[in-house]
Amino acid sequence: CGVVVYHTPAPIGMALVERDRQLVLIRRTAPPLQGYWAPPAGHVELGESVTEATIRETREETGLEIILGELVNVYSHGDADVLIVAYRARATGGEPKAGDDASEVGLFAPGHIPVQPPPDESNGTALDRWFYGVIQEATAPWREAPTGRI
């Protein structure tokens, strides 16, 4: 019929939000990594840009208004059906309140990010394990306590 179909990863926007010198994380209510703490993130919808989706998803999941900063990284994996675009962000308004896809919102000081075991073959999918690695890498700057400088 001449129609070409491409199977491409769906874009996800992720925000590494700082509020009062703390990192904002949500406890996820849906896969991947259901029950884990993670930065707010979600799918880009038709008619919006990645940055617009990142701001919208953060508002829906945390109740916070944000301004996006620099691009942290673009995460992709050959076996994943998503591509994650991660940005630094700063909260500018709103009050932390769990919303869409979040059971809790937490603010964590440097060195106090929750320690979570990696999912393995018995309790997670390949997507869970990849997403866990993305979260570990993206939140690495907040995993160590500051040394005299904030």
Short mmCIF file of all heavy atoms in Angstrom, two decimals, residues 22-81:
data_model
loop_
_atom_site.label_atom_id
_atom_site.label_comp_id
_atom_site.label_asym_id
_atom_site.label_seq_id
_atom_site.Cartn_x
_atom_site.Cartn_y
_atom_site.Cartn_z
N GLN A 22 15.68 22.12 48.19
CA GLN A 22 15.36 20.70 48.30
C GLN A 22 14.87 20.20 46.95
O GLN A 22 14.31 20.95 46.16
CB GLN A 22 14.28 20.47 49.36
CG GLN A 22 14.73 20.86 50.75
CD GLN A 22 13.62 20.67 51.75
OE1 GLN A 22 12.50 21.10 51.54
NE2 GLN A 22 13.94 20.01 52.86
N LEU A 23 15.06 18.90 46.70
CA LEU A 23 14.59 18.28 45.47
C LEU A 23 13.18 17.75 45.68
O LEU A 23 12.90 17.09 46.68
CB LEU A 23 15.53 17.12 45.08
CG LEU A 23 15.16 16.38 43.79
CD1 LEU A 23 15.28 17.30 42.58
CD2 LEU A 23 16.07 15.16 43.63
N VAL A 24 12.31 18.05 44.75
CA VAL A 24 10.92 17.60 44.79
C VAL A 24 10.82 16.24 44.09
O VAL A 24 11.20 16.11 42.93
CB VAL A 24 9.98 18.61 44.11
CG1 VAL A 24 8.54 18.09 44.08
CG2 VAL A 24 10.07 19.98 44.78
N LEU A 25 10.31 15.25 44.82
CA LEU A 25 10.07 13.92 44.24
C LEU A 25 8.63 13.52 44.51
O LEU A 25 8.02 13.99 45.48
CB LEU A 25 11.00 12.87 44.84
CG LEU A 25 12.51 13.08 44.65
CD1 LEU A 25 13.28 11.99 45.39
CD2 LEU A 25 12.88 13.09 43.18
N ILE A 26 8.11 12.65 43.66
CA ILE A 26 6.77 12.08 43.88
C ILE A 26 6.92 10.59 44.09
O ILE A 26 7.85 9.96 43.60
CB ILE A 26 5.82 12.34 42.68
CG1 ILE A 26 6.34 11.66 41.41
CG2 ILE A 26 5.60 13.83 42.47
CD1 ILE A 26 5.30 11.45 40.35
N ARG A 27 5.98 10.01 44.85
CA ARG A 27 5.89 8.55 44.95
C ARG A 27 4.92 8.11 43.87
O ARG A 27 3.74 8.48 43.87
CB ARG A 27 5.43 8.10 46.32
CG ARG A 27 5.57 6.58 46.46
CD ARG A 27 5.18 6.07 47.83
NE ARG A 27 6.03 6.49 48.89
CZ ARG A 27 7.15 5.87 49.30
NH1 ARG A 27 7.57 4.81 48.63
NH2 ARG A 27 7.83 6.31 50.31
N ARG A 28 5.41 7.33 42.92
CA ARG A 28 4.65 6.94 41.73
C ARG A 28 3.52 5.96 42.07
O ARG A 28 3.72 5.03 42.84
CB ARG A 28 5.57 6.34 40.68
CG ARG A 28 6.63 7.34 40.17
CD ARG A 28 7.53 6.73 39.12
NE ARG A 28 6.78 6.13 38.03
CZ ARG A 28 6.20 6.80 37.03
NH1 ARG A 28 6.29 8.11 36.98
NH2 ARG A 28 5.55 6.17 36.09
N THR A 29 2.34 6.18 41.46
CA THR A 29 1.22 5.27 41.66
C THR A 29 1.00 4.33 40.48
O THR A 29 0.13 3.48 40.53
CB THR A 29 -0.09 6.05 41.90
OG1 THR A 29 -0.37 6.87 40.76
CG2 THR A 29 -0.01 6.89 43.17
N ALA A 30 1.79 4.52 39.42
CA ALA A 30 1.62 3.70 38.21
C ALA A 30 2.98 3.24 37.71
O ALA A 30 3.99 3.86 37.98
CB ALA A 30 0.90 4.52 37.13
N PRO A 31 3.00 2.14 36.97
CA PRO A 31 4.25 1.69 36.36
C PRO A 31 4.72 2.72 35.33
O PRO A 31 3.91 3.46 34.80
CB PRO A 31 3.87 0.39 35.67
CG PRO A 31 2.57 -0.04 36.28
CD PRO A 31 1.90 1.23 36.74
N PRO A 32 6.00 2.77 35.04
CA PRO A 32 7.05 1.96 35.64
C PRO A 32 7.42 2.47 37.03
O PRO A 32 7.14 3.61 37.38
CB PRO A 32 8.23 2.12 34.67
CG PRO A 32 8.00 3.45 34.02
CD PRO A 32 6.50 3.63 33.96
N LEU A 33 8.02 1.60 37.81
CA LEU A 33 8.48 1.90 39.17
C LEU A 33 7.36 2.36 40.10
O LEU A 33 7.53 3.28 40.89
CB LEU A 33 9.62 2.91 39.16
CG LEU A 33 10.93 2.43 38.54
CD1 LEU A 33 11.99 3.53 38.62
CD2 LEU A 33 11.43 1.16 39.20
N GLN A 34 6.23 1.69 40.02
CA GLN A 34 5.12 2.00 40.91
C GLN A 34 5.59 1.87 42.37
O GLN A 34 6.24 0.90 42.74
CB GLN A 34 3.97 1.03 40.66
CG GLN A 34 2.74 1.32 41.47
CD GLN A 34 1.57 0.45 41.04
OE1 GLN A 34 1.67 -0.34 40.10
NE2 GLN A 34 0.46 0.60 41.73
N GLY A 35 5.31 2.87 43.17
CA GLY A 35 5.70 2.89 44.58
C GLY A 35 7.05 3.51 44.85
O GLY A 35 7.40 3.76 46.00
N TYR A 36 7.83 3.79 43.83
CA TYR A 36 9.15 4.39 43.98
C TYR A 36 9.05 5.92 43.99
O TYR A 36 8.13 6.49 43.41
CB TYR A 36 10.08 3.98 42.83
CG TYR A 36 10.71 2.63 42.98
CD1 TYR A 36 9.96 1.47 42.88
CD2 TYR A 36 12.08 2.51 43.19
CE1 TYR A 36 10.55 0.22 42.99
CE2 TYR A 36 12.68 1.26 43.30
CZ TYR A 36 11.90 0.13 43.20
OH TYR A 36 12.48 -1.11 43.31
N TRP A 37 10.04 6.56 44.62
CA TRP A 37 10.19 8.01 44.55
C TRP A 37 10.91 8.35 43.25
O TRP A 37 11.90 7.71 42.89
CB TRP A 37 11.01 8.53 45.72
CG TRP A 37 10.28 8.48 47.03
CD1 TRP A 37 10.41 7.54 48.00
CD2 TRP A 37 9.30 9.42 47.49
NE1 TRP A 37 9.58 7.85 49.05
CE2 TRP A 37 8.89 8.99 48.77
CE3 TRP A 37 8.75 10.59 46.97
CZ2 TRP A 37 7.95 9.68 49.52
CZ3 TRP A 37 7.80 11.27 47.71
CH2 TRP A 37 7.41 10.82 48.97
N ALA A 38 10.41 9.37 42.53
CA ALA A 38 10.99 9.78 41.26
C ALA A 38 10.66 11.25 41.00
O ALA A 38 9.70 11.79 41.56
CB ALA A 38 10.42 8.93 40.12
N PRO A 39 11.43 11.90 40.14
CA PRO A 39 11.06 13.25 39.73
C PRO A 39 9.75 13.22 38.95
O PRO A 39 9.43 12.22 38.30
CB PRO A 39 12.22 13.68 38.82
CG PRO A 39 13.35 12.77 39.17
CD PRO A 39 12.71 11.48 39.57
N PRO A 40 8.98 14.30 39.00
CA PRO A 40 7.76 14.35 38.19
C PRO A 40 8.10 14.25 36.71
O PRO A 40 9.09 14.84 36.25
CB PRO A 40 7.14 15.70 38.54
CG PRO A 40 8.22 16.50 39.19
CD PRO A 40 9.20 15.53 39.76
N ALA A 41 7.28 13.49 35.99
CA ALA A 41 7.54 13.27 34.56
C ALA A 41 6.27 12.78 33.89
O ALA A 41 5.40 12.21 34.55
CB ALA A 41 8.65 12.23 34.38
N GLY A 42 6.18 12.99 32.59
CA GLY A 42 5.03 12.48 31.87
C GLY A 42 5.14 12.67 30.37
O GLY A 42 6.03 13.35 29.86
N HIS A 43 4.21 12.04 29.68
CA HIS A 43 4.19 12.03 28.22
C HIS A 43 3.86 13.40 27.63
O HIS A 43 3.06 14.14 28.18
CB HIS A 43 3.14 11.03 27.71
CG HIS A 43 3.54 9.61 27.88
ND1 HIS A 43 4.34 8.95 26.97
CD2 HIS A 43 3.28 8.72 28.86
CE1 HIS A 43 4.54 7.71 27.39
NE2 HIS A 43 3.91 7.55 28.53
N VAL A 44 4.49 13.67 26.50
CA VAL A 44 4.18 14.85 25.71
C VAL A 44 2.92 14.53 24.91
O VAL A 44 2.84 13.49 24.25
CB VAL A 44 5.34 15.20 24.76
CG1 VAL A 44 4.98 16.39 23.87
CG2 VAL A 44 6.61 15.46 25.55
N GLU A 45 1.94 15.42 24.98
CA GLU A 45 0.70 15.23 24.24
C GLU A 45 0.77 15.96 22.91
O GLU A 45 1.56 16.91 22.75
CB GLU A 45 -0.48 15.74 25.07
CG GLU A 45 -0.69 14.94 26.34
CD GLU A 45 -1.82 15.46 27.21
OE1 GLU A 45 -2.48 16.45 26.84
OE2 GLU A 45 -2.05 14.85 28.27
N LEU A 46 -0.03 15.52 21.96
CA LEU A 46 -0.09 16.22 20.67
C LEU A 46 -0.47 17.67 20.90
O LEU A 46 -1.33 17.97 21.73
CB LEU A 46 -1.11 15.56 19.74
CG LEU A 46 -0.70 14.21 19.15
CD1 LEU A 46 -1.83 13.64 18.31
CD2 LEU A 46 0.57 14.32 18.33
N GLY A 47 0.20 18.56 20.21
CA GLY A 47 -0.10 19.97 20.32
C GLY A 47 0.71 20.71 21.36
O GLY A 47 0.52 21.91 21.57
N GLU A 48 1.62 20.01 22.07
CA GLU A 48 2.47 20.70 23.05
C GLU A 48 3.92 20.32 22.83
O GLU A 48 4.24 19.27 22.28
CB GLU A 48 2.03 20.42 24.49
CG GLU A 48 2.20 19.02 24.97
CD GLU A 48 1.69 18.79 26.40
OE1 GLU A 48 1.30 19.74 27.10
OE2 GLU A 48 1.68 17.62 26.81
N SER A 49 4.79 21.19 23.29
CA SER A 49 6.22 20.93 23.20
C SER A 49 6.67 20.11 24.42
O SER A 49 5.91 19.94 25.38
CB SER A 49 6.99 22.26 23.18
OG SER A 49 6.86 22.92 24.43
N VAL A 50 7.90 19.63 24.37
CA VAL A 50 8.44 18.87 25.50
C VAL A 50 8.48 19.77 26.74
O VAL A 50 8.12 19.33 27.84
CB VAL A 50 9.84 18.30 25.19
CG1 VAL A 50 10.44 17.63 26.42
CG2 VAL A 50 9.78 17.34 24.03
N THR A 51 8.89 21.02 26.58
CA THR A 51 8.95 21.92 27.74
C THR A 51 7.56 22.19 28.30
O THR A 51 7.37 22.18 29.52
CB THR A 51 9.67 23.24 27.39
OG1 THR A 51 9.03 23.85 26.28
CG2 THR A 51 11.13 22.99 27.07
N GLU A 52 6.58 22.40 27.44
CA GLU A 52 5.21 22.62 27.90
C GLU A 52 4.69 21.39 28.65
O GLU A 52 4.04 21.50 29.70
CB GLU A 52 4.28 22.94 26.73
CG GLU A 52 4.52 24.29 26.11
CD GLU A 52 3.81 24.48 24.78
OE1 GLU A 52 3.48 23.49 24.09
OE2 GLU A 52 3.59 25.66 24.42
N ALA A 53 4.97 20.20 28.13
CA ALA A 53 4.53 18.96 28.79
C ALA A 53 5.20 18.79 30.14
O ALA A 53 4.55 18.36 31.11
CB ALA A 53 4.83 17.77 27.90
N THR A 54 6.47 19.12 30.24
CA THR A 54 7.20 18.98 31.50
C THR A 54 6.60 19.90 32.56
O THR A 54 6.38 19.48 33.71
CB THR A 54 8.70 19.30 31.29
OG1 THR A 54 9.20 18.46 30.24
CG2 THR A 54 9.49 19.07 32.56
N ILE A 55 6.29 21.13 32.19
CA ILE A 55 5.66 22.08 33.12
C ILE A 55 4.28 21.59 33.52
O ILE A 55 3.91 21.60 34.71
CB ILE A 55 5.62 23.48 32.48
CG1 ILE A 55 7.04 24.04 32.36
CG2 ILE A 55 4.72 24.42 33.28
CD1 ILE A 55 7.15 25.27 31.47
N ARG A 56 3.48 21.14 32.55
CA ARG A 56 2.12 20.65 32.83
C ARG A 56 2.14 19.43 33.74
O ARG A 56 1.42 19.36 34.74
CB ARG A 56 1.39 20.31 31.52
CG ARG A 56 0.01 19.68 31.74
CD ARG A 56 -0.63 19.22 30.43
NE ARG A 56 0.20 18.35 29.62
CZ ARG A 56 0.45 17.06 29.87
NH1 ARG A 56 -0.07 16.46 30.93
NH2 ARG A 56 1.21 16.35 29.05
N GLU A 57 2.97 18.45 33.39
CA GLU A 57 3.03 17.22 34.20
C GLU A 57 3.48 17.51 35.63
O GLU A 57 2.97 16.93 36.58
CB GLU A 57 3.97 16.20 33.54
CG GLU A 57 3.40 15.53 32.32
CD GLU A 57 2.32 14.49 32.62
OE1 GLU A 57 2.16 14.09 33.80
OE2 GLU A 57 1.64 14.07 31.68
N THR A 58 4.44 18.41 35.78
CA THR A 58 4.91 18.77 37.13
C THR A 58 3.77 19.39 37.93
O THR A 58 3.56 19.05 39.09
CB THR A 58 6.11 19.73 37.05
OG1 THR A 58 7.17 19.06 36.36
CG2 THR A 58 6.58 20.14 38.43
N ARG A 59 3.01 20.30 37.32
CA ARG A 59 1.87 20.92 37.99
C ARG A 59 0.83 19.86 38.37
O ARG A 59 0.33 19.86 39.50
CB ARG A 59 1.24 21.99 37.10
CG ARG A 59 0.07 22.72 37.75
CD ARG A 59 -0.62 23.74 36.84
NE ARG A 59 0.27 24.43 35.93
CZ ARG A 59 0.33 24.22 34.60
NH1 ARG A 59 -0.42 23.32 34.02
NH2 ARG A 59 1.17 24.91 33.85
N GLU A 60 0.52 18.95 37.45
CA GLU A 60 -0.49 17.92 37.71
C GLU A 60 -0.06 16.97 38.82
O GLU A 60 -0.89 16.54 39.62
CB GLU A 60 -0.77 17.11 36.43
CG GLU A 60 -1.51 17.88 35.37
CD GLU A 60 -1.67 17.12 34.06
OE1 GLU A 60 -1.19 15.97 33.95
OE2 GLU A 60 -2.27 17.68 33.14
N GLU A 61 1.22 16.63 38.88
CA GLU A 61 1.69 15.63 39.85
C GLU A 61 2.09 16.22 41.20
O GLU A 61 2.06 15.51 42.20
CB GLU A 61 2.88 14.86 39.26
CG GLU A 61 2.47 14.01 38.06
CD GLU A 61 3.61 13.24 37.43
OE1 GLU A 61 4.79 13.43 37.84
OE2 GLU A 61 3.33 12.43 36.52
N THR A 62 2.47 17.51 41.22
CA THR A 62 3.00 18.09 42.47
C THR A 62 2.23 19.30 42.99
O THR A 62 2.44 19.71 44.12
CB THR A 62 4.46 18.54 42.30
OG1 THR A 62 4.51 19.67 41.42
CG2 THR A 62 5.34 17.42 41.77
N GLY A 63 1.41 19.94 42.16
CA GLY A 63 0.74 21.17 42.55
C GLY A 63 1.63 22.40 42.44
O GLY A 63 1.22 23.50 42.81
N LEU A 64 2.85 22.24 41.93
CA LEU A 64 3.80 23.34 41.87
C LEU A 64 3.89 23.96 40.48
O LEU A 64 3.81 23.26 39.47
CB LEU A 64 5.20 22.86 42.27
CG LEU A 64 5.35 22.34 43.70
CD1 LEU A 64 6.73 21.73 43.90
CD2 LEU A 64 5.07 23.44 44.70
N GLU A 65 4.06 25.27 40.45
CA GLU A 65 4.39 25.98 39.23
C GLU A 65 5.90 26.04 39.16
O GLU A 65 6.57 26.25 40.18
CB GLU A 65 3.81 27.39 39.25
CG GLU A 65 2.29 27.43 39.31
CD GLU A 65 1.62 26.82 38.07
OE1 GLU A 65 2.21 26.90 36.97
OE2 GLU A 65 0.51 26.29 38.21
N ILE A 66 6.45 25.87 37.95
CA ILE A 66 7.90 25.83 37.81
C ILE A 66 8.37 26.67 36.64
O ILE A 66 7.59 26.99 35.74
CB ILE A 66 8.42 24.38 37.63
CG1 ILE A 66 7.88 23.76 36.33
CG2 ILE A 66 8.10 23.53 38.85
CD1 ILE A 66 8.56 22.45 35.93
N ILE A 67 9.65 26.98 36.68
CA ILE A 67 10.38 27.54 35.54
C ILE A 67 11.47 26.54 35.21
O ILE A 67 12.22 26.12 36.11
CB ILE A 67 11.00 28.90 35.87
CG1 ILE A 67 9.91 29.94 36.10
CG2 ILE A 67 11.93 29.35 34.76
CD1 ILE A 67 10.44 31.30 36.51
N LEU A 68 11.54 26.15 33.96
CA LEU A 68 12.57 25.20 33.55
C LEU A 68 13.91 25.90 33.38
O LEU A 68 13.98 27.04 32.92
CB LEU A 68 12.20 24.51 32.23
CG LEU A 68 10.98 23.60 32.27
CD1 LEU A 68 10.74 23.00 30.90
CD2 LEU A 68 11.13 22.52 33.32
N GLY A 69 14.97 25.18 33.76
CA GLY A 69 16.33 25.65 33.56
C GLY A 69 16.98 24.85 32.46
O GLY A 69 16.33 24.46 31.49
N GLU A 70 18.26 24.55 32.66
CA GLU A 70 19.02 23.89 31.62
C GLU A 70 18.62 22.42 31.45
O GLU A 70 18.11 21.79 32.36
CB GLU A 70 20.53 24.00 31.86
CG GLU A 70 21.05 23.17 33.02
CD GLU A 70 21.06 23.90 34.35
OE1 GLU A 70 20.48 24.99 34.48
OE2 GLU A 70 21.65 23.35 35.29
N LEU A 71 18.91 21.94 30.27
CA LEU A 71 18.71 20.53 29.94
C LEU A 71 19.73 19.72 30.72
O LEU A 71 20.92 20.03 30.72
CB LEU A 71 18.91 20.32 28.43
CG LEU A 71 18.82 18.89 27.92
CD1 LEU A 71 17.39 18.39 28.02
CD2 LEU A 71 19.32 18.83 26.49
N VAL A 72 19.27 18.69 31.41
CA VAL A 72 20.17 17.80 32.16
C VAL A 72 20.70 16.71 31.24
O VAL A 72 21.90 16.49 31.15
CB VAL A 72 19.44 17.16 33.37
CG1 VAL A 72 20.28 16.09 34.03
CG2 VAL A 72 19.04 18.23 34.36
N ASN A 73 19.80 16.04 30.55
CA ASN A 73 20.19 14.95 29.66
C ASN A 73 18.98 14.47 28.88
O ASN A 73 17.84 14.75 29.25
CB ASN A 73 20.77 13.79 30.47
CG ASN A 73 21.70 12.91 29.65
OD1 ASN A 73 21.73 12.96 28.42
ND2 ASN A 73 22.49 12.08 30.33
N VAL A 74 19.24 13.75 27.82
CA VAL A 74 18.22 13.03 27.08
C VAL A 74 18.57 11.56 27.25
O VAL A 74 19.67 11.14 26.90
CB VAL A 74 18.19 13.42 25.59
CG1 VAL A 74 17.17 12.57 24.84
CG2 VAL A 74 17.88 14.91 25.44
N TYR A 75 17.64 10.79 27.82
CA TYR A 75 17.88 9.39 28.12
C TYR A 75 17.09 8.52 27.14
O TYR A 75 15.88 8.71 26.97
CB TYR A 75 17.42 9.07 29.55
CG TYR A 75 18.15 9.85 30.60
CD1 TYR A 75 17.62 11.03 31.11
CD2 TYR A 75 19.37 9.40 31.11
CE1 TYR A 75 18.29 11.75 32.10
CE2 TYR A 75 20.04 10.11 32.10
CZ TYR A 75 19.49 11.29 32.59
OH TYR A 75 20.15 11.99 33.56
N SER A 76 17.78 7.59 26.52
CA SER A 76 17.10 6.65 25.63
C SER A 76 17.79 5.30 25.73
O SER A 76 18.95 5.20 26.15
CB SER A 76 17.12 7.16 24.18
OG SER A 76 18.43 7.22 23.69
N HIS A 77 17.07 4.28 25.36
CA HIS A 77 17.59 2.92 25.40
C HIS A 77 16.90 2.16 24.28
O HIS A 77 15.69 2.33 24.06
CB HIS A 77 17.28 2.29 26.76
CG HIS A 77 17.94 0.97 26.96
ND1 HIS A 77 17.38 -0.20 26.52
CD2 HIS A 77 19.10 0.64 27.55
CE1 HIS A 77 18.18 -1.21 26.84
NE2 HIS A 77 19.23 -0.72 27.46
N GLY A 78 17.64 1.32 23.60
CA GLY A 78 17.09 0.59 22.46
C GLY A 78 15.87 -0.25 22.76
O GLY A 78 15.03 -0.44 21.89
N ASP A 79 15.74 -0.73 23.99
CA ASP A 79 14.60 -1.57 24.34
C ASP A 79 13.45 -0.80 24.97
O ASP A 79 12.42 -1.38 25.30
CB ASP A 79 15.04 -2.67 25.32
CG ASP A 79 16.00 -3.65 24.67
OD1 ASP A 79 15.92 -3.82 23.43
OD2 ASP A 79 16.82 -4.25 25.38
N ALA A 80 13.62 0.50 25.19
CA ALA A 80 12.58 1.31 25.84
C ALA A 80 11.71 1.98 24.78
O ALA A 80 12.21 2.45 23.76
CB ALA A 80 13.22 2.36 26.75
N ASP A 81 10.41 2.04 25.05
CA ASP A 81 9.49 2.67 24.10
C ASP A 81 9.28 4.14 24.42
O ASP A 81 8.35 4.76 23.91
CB ASP A 81 8.17 1.91 24.05
CG ASP A 81 7.44 1.88 25.37
OD1 ASP A 81 7.98 2.35 26.39
OD2 ASP A 81 6.30 1.37 25.39
#
